[in-house]
Amino acid sequence: MTSTKVRLFIITYDITDDKRLRRVFEYLKQWGQHVQYSVFACALGPTSLATVKTELDALIHHDDDQVLFFDLGAEASRAQRAIDYLGVPFGPKQRKAIVL
């Protein structure tokens, strides 16, 4: 999805219940890249962002949980350069096959 309207968001969450935590994790896996515990990088257009916010809103408990959205800007421009790292490089995680 490449468009000037697509923006890169870092979405973080703090969910106090394990069942809701798993639901939020599984939901966000559909939309973006799992970066670290409770952190996703998602390239979203305006409609997708509204959908994600609406559906996450229904998954969380507003008195106990928190979801934060950090807008890094247009995906096609400086957003990809806005992420720096130490240690393991940032990028899609490679799956490793295990032969038993």
Side-chain angles (χ1 to χ4, degrees):
M1 178 186 313
T2 303
S3 166
T4 56
K5 293 183 178 181
V6 175
R7 301 179 71 79
L8 184 63
F9 290 88
I10 298 298
I11 301 174
T12 69
Y13 51 90
D14 186 8
I15 308 297
T16 59
D17 175 78
D18 288 343
K19 193 172 181 179
R20 288 194 313 274
L21 174 68
R22 182 46 106 184
R23 286 184 189 150
V24 168
F25 174 80
E26 292 297 329
Y27 179 75
L28 285 174
K29 275 186 6 183
Q30 303 171 51
W31 291 96
Q33 176 188 350
H34 182 224
V35 178
Q36 291 185 341
Y37 291 116
S38 303
V39 179
F40 278 82
C42 302
L44 303 169
T47 303
S48 298
L49 178 62
T51 299
V52 168
K53 285 184 174 181
T54 299
E55 293 183 359
L56 283 175
D57 187 65
L59 292 176
I60 69 170
H61 283 186
H62 292 252
D63 292 336
D64 301 320
D65 305 330
Q66 182 181 58
V67 180
L68 301 174
F69 297 78
F70 297 92
D71 182 351
L72 298 184
E75 182 192 29
S77 63
R78 82 172 203 63
Q80 292 296 333
R81 296 186 311 252
I83 299 173
D84 199 1
Y85 63 90
L86 296 173
V88 178
F90 175 77
K93 293 186 179 178
Q94 301 294 322
R95 293 182 178 223
K96 297 178 183 175
I98 298 174
V99 179
L100 300 176

